[in-house]
Amino acid sequence: MTTPALPEQPTGGEILRAIGRVEKSVDGLGEQVRHMDDKLDGQGQTLAAQGERLVTAERDIRELKAEKVADRAAAASHASSMRVAIKGAIAAGAAGFVASIGALIVQLIAHH
């Protein structure tokens, strides 16, 4: 029986080169992590700004809705006031017309 051959043992230089490649890979990964971290920070700031804009937009919408309700109430009140004024003018006009007719009748009777 023959004994299996042992694999060649790497030399010191080969080990150092392998360690150098591993360190270079680790450094590259560290740079990628820093880049992603910076990118996430930027995205976080963007999201925070968008959140603030959403809060502002929601507040503006609530204010606009309140103003719309107030405008509708004012318009309804104005329309109601106009109806009352028109009815009052018609009633006053009718009363004035009846009074004028009555005065005309009195004058006609007085002249005969």
Side-chain angles (χ1 to χ4, degrees):
M1 290 220 253
T2 60
T3 58
L6 293 175
E8 279 187 41
Q9 295 295 319
T11 63
E14 291 173 335
I15 292 174
L16 290 176
R17 281 191 293 280
I19 290 173
R21 286 192 303 271
V22 169
E23 287 176 344
K24 187 175 179 181
S25 294
V26 168
D27 289 345
L29 289 174
E31 184 60 33
Q32 287 178 355
V33 168
R34 281 189 292 281
H35 175 71
M36 290 190 317
D37 189 47
D38 291 345
K39 190 173 182 180
L40 287 173
D41 285 345
Q43 289 175 346
Q45 291 171 355
T46 299
L47 288 173
Q50 288 174 345
E52 289 175 15
R53 286 194 295 269
L54 283 174
V55 168
T56 300
E58 288 173 346
R59 184 189 67 236
D60 291 347
I61 288 170
R62 280 193 304 275
E63 289 174 359
L64 288 171
K65 284 181 179 179
E67 289 174 8
K68 185 177 179 181
V69 168
D71 288 347
R72 283 185 179 169
S77 175
H78 179 68
S80 177
S81 297
M82 289 299 291
R83 280 191 219 102
V84 169
I86 290 169
K87 287 178 183 177
I90 291 171
F97 178 72
V98 170
S100 297
I101 295 294
L104 184 60
I105 291 174
V106 169
Q107 286 179 354
L108 287 174
I109 293 174
H111 286 297
H112 281 7

